[in-house]
């Protein structure tokens, strides 16, 4: 027997960060954590043949997934950027900007469809994965070149 209300309460408690935000007014607020209905929507998107642009829009509406990938106790998320430029030639899907005691960081994120094969039968990266790796390598080259000048 499934107890839907109880199950949803458990899922909400797992997905929420900290307690009530109003109880800690001095605490910096992070992007809202995904709720059970958000997770259900994401599962539906991933189960179907969802275009990358629809996934992009979903994560724009639910940036808590993105910020949660890089969270730690002393990080403060400054912003989530959508389709930011990396130099003049490239664009990432997202960028999470963070500040912490040691400085600041920009995390560039590239999303791809979950229905593409990652590896060939010979265990080499498949075409789509090779393309994504190439994008990230291009960003890295541009950043390293820019840092030297």
């Amino acid at each position: 027997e499934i107890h839907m209300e109880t199950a949803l309460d458990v899922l909400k408690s797992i997905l929420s960060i900290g307690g009530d935000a109003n109880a800690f007014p001095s605490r910096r607020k992070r992007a809202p954590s995904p709720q059970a209905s958000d997770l259900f929507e994401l599962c539906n998107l991933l189960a179907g043949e969802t275009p990358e642009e629809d996934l992009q829009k979903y994560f724009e509406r639910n940036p808590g997934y993105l910020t949660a990938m890089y969270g730690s106790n002393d990080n403060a998320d400054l912003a989530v950027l959508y389709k930011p430029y990396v130099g003049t030639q490239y664009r990432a899907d997202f960028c999470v900007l963070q500040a912490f005691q040691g400085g600041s960081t920009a995390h560039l994120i590239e999303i791809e469809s979950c229905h593409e094969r990652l590896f060939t039968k010979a265990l080499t990266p498949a075409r789509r994965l090779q393309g994504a790796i190439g994008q990230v390598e291009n960003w890295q080259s541009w950043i390293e070149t820019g840092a030297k000048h």
Side-chain angles (χ1 to χ4, degrees):
E1 180 179 352
I2 297 174
H3 300 284
M4 198 55 122
E5 287 182 23
T6 305
L8 289 175
D9 289 340
V10 170
L11 189 55
K12 285 180 185 178
S13 70
I14 292 169
L15 294 175
S16 64
I17 295 176
D20 181 2
N22 296 325
F24 304 98
S26 64
R27 190 172 170 189
R28 287 188 177 229
K29 294 182 182 174
R30 298 191 57 141
S33 296
Q35 299 299 310
S37 59
D38 301 321
L39 185 57
F40 184 75
E41 183 183 355
L42 177 61
C43 290
N44 278 332
L45 288 172
L46 296 177
E49 294 291 326
T50 304
E52 184 180 324
E53 189 59 35
D54 290 350
L55 289 173
Q56 174 82 26
K57 290 176 184 174
Y58 175 82
F59 288 120
E60 288 176 13
R61 290 189 314 271
N62 297 282
Y65 286 103
L66 304 173
T67 59
M69 289 191 297
Y70 303 106
S72 70
N73 291 336
D74 67 340
N75 286 1
D77 299 319
L78 301 177
V80 176
L81 306 177
Y82 308 120
K83 295 285 188 181
Y85 283 96
V86 181
T88 56
Q89 297 177 350
Y90 310 111
R91 287 186 97 163
D93 287 323
F94 298 97
C95 178
V96 175
L97 298 175
Q98 291 182 318
F100 49 95
Q101 286 183 337
S104 61
T105 303
H107 301 281
L108 298 174
I109 300 169
E110 178 65 22
I111 60 171
E112 295 293 340
S113 168
C114 65
H115 296 286
E116 299 285 335
R117 293 193 105 152
L118 293 178
F119 298 96
T120 66
K121 289 181 181 179
L123 299 179
T124 59
R127 185 175 46 100
R128 185 81 180 236
L129 179 57
Q130 287 177 5
I133 291 169
Q135 281 182 289
V136 172
E137 288 173 346
N138 288 339
W139 301 344
Q140 187 174 16
S141 293
W142 186 89
I143 291 167
E144 288 174 357
T145 303
K148 292 177 184 177
H149 291 47

